[in-house]
Amino acid sequence: MGEHHRTSYGPGAPAPCLTVRPLADGRGVRAAGEIGLATHTIWERVLEQAVRGGETVYHLELSEVTFVDVAGAGALAAAAERLGDGRRFVVRRPPPALSRVLDLFWPDLSTIEVSMS
């Protein structure tokens, strides 16, 4: 992985970016930056790789993610719905808004566990 995505967002505005690196144990990724319109492609690619992988528990370390839009949360929920039996995502230290959106729109989605520690 170790992908970096940067897209122009407007004159003089800093370009939103999302950096994704594998966790040391190889059972997930650490993301940093923003998950929004300019970075959806990389986020969806990360989630698709996780779904296709064989890990029972796939960790998404999001403590350095500053923003996740509703479409990014939806992509996470859609990927979680495609996980096979007994598999789940553990989302560690996400931005507070992501937890709220997941609780609001997908309250019964048992394949996503949010950990604030």
Side-chain angles (χ1 to χ4, degrees), residues 5-9 13-17 34:
H5 184 312
R6 189 173 288 277
T7 304
S8 295
Y9 203 65
C17 66
E34 297 182 10

Side-chain angles (χ1 to χ4, degrees), residues 51-67:
V51 168
R52 290 181 185 206
E55 294 294 331
T56 302
V57 177
Y58 193 87
H59 296 270
L60 297 165
E61 171 58 60
L62 303 183
S63 61
E64 296 178 42
V65 171
T66 58
F67 174 76

Side-chain angles (χ1 to χ4, degrees), residues 3-60:
E3 298 181 45
H4 186 76
H5 184 312
R6 189 173 288 277
T7 304
S8 295
Y9 203 65
C17 66
L18 179 64
T19 303
V20 179
R21 292 189 174 86
L23 291 173
D25 65 9
R27 298 183 329 157
V29 296
R30 174 181 309 278
E34 297 182 10
I35 299 169
L37 182 61
T39 61
H40 278 186
T41 301
I42 193 167
W43 178 239
E44 290 171 352
R45 194 175 320 142
V46 165
L47 295 172
E48 185 59 32
Q49 288 175 349
V51 168
R52 290 181 185 206
E55 294 294 331
T56 302
V57 177
Y58 193 87
H59 296 270
L60 297 165

